[in-house]
Amino acid sequence: MREQARRTDLVTVVAGLALAVGWIWHQMGGPGAVAMLLLGLAALVGAIFSLTRPAAISGELGVIAAGVMAIALPWAFGFTDSPVAALTSWACGVVITAAGAYGVVRANRTRRSNPELAWSAHRNEVPGVSRT
């Protein structure tokens, strides 16, 4: 079950990288390029978080948020006049959002079957000392 969740996270990593460096390919500048870079990096961080914690839904929700913002990016920053850059943002946004939505379903199943994969259980106890 964990392998398929990893595949979607790897797809998110690739789409996030494409979004993060897309401004270079399209020779963009200004705030639209910075937003593309930051949203690509946000998708990367969410995907890496999901790879390390396969049952944590918060990483997948972050990926979905980055994907939805990437879809709205060309309209928000006004680079719809550059169709290739806008298409890159829309395509990467759709892929990131779809992978995040599938990741939420997989994370929920993993959480039900193996809840300790969501977060580590840390205990700050000293052996031999009891707290009463």
Side-chain angles (χ1 to χ4, degrees):
M1 177 164 40
R2 192 169 167 178
E3 287 298 317
Q4 286 189 3
R6 280 207 169 150
R7 285 187 209 132
T8 58
D9 293 334
L10 293 176
V11 167
T12 305
V13 166
V14 170
L17 278 173
L19 186 63
V21 299
W23 64 275
I24 297 170
W25 297 331
H26 306 304
Q27 299 172 350
M28 292 175 60
V34 173
M36 253 178 125
L37 173 69
L38 292 177
L39 285 176
L41 292 177
L44 274 171
V45 168
I48 290 170
F49 184 75
S50 298
L51 278 169
T52 58
R53 296 284 173 214
I57 296 175
S58 57
E60 304 295 345
L61 293 178
V63 167
I64 291 173
V68 169
M69 286 190 275
I71 293 170
L73 188 66
W75 293 295
F77 285 92
F79 61 89
T80 54
D81 57 338
S82 175
V84 179
L87 186 62
T88 299
S89 182
W90 290 326
C92 289
V94 167
V95 168
I96 290 169
T97 304
Y102 184 71
V104 166
V105 173
R106 299 300 288 181
N108 200 12
R109 287 183 190 163
T110 305
R111 172 174 264 182
R112 286 185 190 150
S113 66
N114 205 354
E116 65 271 359
L117 289 177
W119 298 103
S120 297
H122 295 287
R123 295 185 182 174
N124 295 328
E125 296 178 3
V126 178
V129 177
S130 64
R131 297 177 84 183
T132 55

